Each structure stands twice: as C-alpha cells, then as structure tokens.
Amino acid sequence: MPSAGPNRFQRLIRSTGGTRIGSRVYIRALHRVDQPIFRMTRGRHTLTSLLTGLPIGVIRTTGARSGRSHNSPLLIYPTSAGHMVIASNYGQARHPAWYHNLMANPGATLVLRGREHRVTARRLEGDTRDRIWDESVQTYPGLKAYERWAGGRDIPILVLERVS
C-alpha cells in the first residue's frame, strides 16, 4: 500500500465494500474483471488494487476435491507478521473455496506486485489472530461489517509463509 495512504476516491471505494449492496456487487463481479487485468499487467495490478489502493494478489491453490489449480484474487494484508489472507468471504455464512483448498493443500503460489512466490498457508489462532485482525481492520474497515454479517462464523486468518 502506498505510504501516503489512500486518496479520497480510494477511501470511498473501500467504504462501499462494507455495505450490503457493495459486497454483493463485488463478490459477483470483481473476480471476473480482476483476473484479466492481472494478466494484462503481468501480475502487478487488478481493477480492485487500482480503485482501492489496496495490495491485491492472486493465490494459486490446488483444489481440495478436484486437485485442479485455481486462481483467486485476494486482498493481501500487510501486517507485522507478514502477508495475510482473511477468509471473510464478504461476510457470507460459509468460508470461501480457496480457504478449503488451502486447508487441504497448504502449499500455494502467491503473485503480488508482479512477483511470484511459493508459500505455505498456516491458520492463526488465539491472541496472534486477534492482534492481526485488529491490524487488518485498520487496512480495510469493511471487515467489521463482514464479521457482523457472518453470523458468528469464525473468520479465519492465514499467514502466507514463503518457501525457499
């Protein structure tokens, strides 16, 4: 994320993700637009990253049931513990498919800002999870709405540890 922070337009777009209408539009449309732009910019940007100023990457997972490769554009949260992904699924009642894939096959590939990294996902628990959640809410306040909408579902946070 740029050190200057988000501009007024980016703050406006970020705030719409924490609304029911915004989240419904984003969950249905953004991944369809993000992936072609991601390919066109050689992994440097997505529409979401351009509009929000947030670090969006693509995580390539192996399907839990199919064994096939799946690409998922995700907000990659920069935190004190490294790069994180949060399985908020826009506050829906179920975890996103990529989360199930990472739990079954934690080895993945992360493409962020045009660079590809092999990573292993590990779920955070307890105080560490709570601290990272608070840091992540500072990056994207819409998470607080997702937490309410999830109806008590525990929203997992995963650290992406680089593999040498």
Side-chain angles (χ1 to χ4, degrees):
M1 191 161 47
S3 59
N7 62 38
R8 186 176 293 166
F9 177 76
Q10 289 169 331
R11 285 192 305 273
L12 173 67
I13 296 299
R14 287 182 190 190
S15 70
T16 63
T19 66
R20 289 280 186 188
I21 293 171
S23 65
R24 285 184 181 140
V25 169
Y26 296 161
I27 200 165
R28 287 175 178 83
L30 281 183
H31 68 280
R32 289 181 169 87
V33 178
D34 277 343
Q35 290 197 37
I37 291 175
F38 189 78
R39 284 191 300 272
M40 288 173 22
T41 64
R42 295 188 180 108
R44 291 185 306 275
H45 297 288
T46 63
L47 179 62
T48 305
S49 70
L50 294 170
L51 293 176
T52 65
L54 292 168
I56 307 295
V58 169
I59 191 155
R60 188 175 310 122
T61 61
T62 302
R65 289 186 298 218
S66 70
R68 294 186 358 225
S69 179
H70 297 276
N71 292 325
S72 301
L74 300 173
L75 174 53
I76 308 298
Y77 292 86
T79 69
S80 60
H83 290 103
M84 304 290 160
V85 289
I86 298 179
S88 65
N89 206 17
Y90 292 93
Q92 294 186 75
R94 296 182 185 177
H95 296 319
W98 62 261
Y99 169 77
H100 296 290
N101 293 344
L102 284 174
M103 291 297 91
N105 302 297
T109 301
L110 171 65
V111 182
L112 182 63
R113 296 184 181 103
R115 294 199 171 123
E116 189 171 300
H117 310 279
R118 293 286 307 147
V119 295
T120 299
R122 179 178 50 85
R123 185 174 171 161
L124 297 179
E125 303 288 345
D127 292 341
T128 303
R129 185 244 179 243
D130 295 342
R131 179 177 53 80
I132 297 302
W133 175 265
D134 291 341
E135 287 182 36
S136 300
V137 167
Q138 295 302 311
T139 300
Y140 181 59
L143 286 171
K144 294 300 271 181
Y146 300 164
E147 185 176 43
R148 283 191 313 274
W149 300 342
R153 172 175 70 88
D154 177 48
I155 297 177
I157 300 176
L158 291 84
V159 62
L160 303 175
E161 299 170 330
R162 283 194 186 176
V163 176
S164 302

